Amino acid sequence: MDSVSLFYSPIDELIPDWHPKKQILDNIPWDELVSIAKEAYTTDWWKDKPNPRVMVGLLVYACITHERTYRELEEDFSFNALCAYACGFLD
């Protein structure tokens, strides 16, 4: 079965390469940030450990878009292709 994209087409196609925020996101050392975030969850105290890429992506997205509230961030996470791109949802 083919995977269905979050936005009915690949997110890479929805965000132009020249978009300044996409250029910022493409230059972030994601692997290093995710490995640092994983260190915070070394114990089994968390029942369901959060996805570090989503956590780091939301933090970075909030910083580059100047989102002020968790509600605005949650709405963007649900409906904004750039936010999904920052969180690692690429297709």
Side-chain angles (χ1 to χ4, degrees):
M1 177 179 223
D2 294 315
S3 65
V4 177
S5 174
L6 190 62
F7 293 94
Y8 298 109
S9 63
I11 291 176
D12 284 346
E13 293 177 11
L14 295 175
I15 307 168
D17 289 334
W18 54 263
H19 194 289
K21 291 176 183 169
K22 183 177 188 290
Q23 291 178 356
I24 292 170
L25 294 171
D26 287 344
N27 287 309
I28 291 177
W30 291 106
D31 293 336
E32 292 175 35
L33 291 174
V34 167
S35 68
I36 291 168
K38 283 182 179 180
E39 291 177 14
Y41 303 104
T42 56
T43 68
D44 289 330
W45 185 77
W46 290 78
K47 180 181 176 188
D48 298 317
K49 296 179 183 180
N51 181 328
R53 174 58 197 259
V54 172
M55 290 176 16
V56 172
L58 287 173
L59 174 66
V60 169
Y61 178 79
C63 291
I64 65 174
T65 58
H66 307 292
E67 294 293 346
R68 294 180 308 269
T69 67
Y70 290 115
R71 185 172 303 275
E72 290 170 334
L73 194 57
E74 184 276 328
E75 185 173 306
D76 278 355
F77 182 73
S78 300
F79 300 110
N80 188 303
L82 188 64
C83 184
Y85 185 78
C87 293
F89 299 105
L90 303 177
D91 54 352

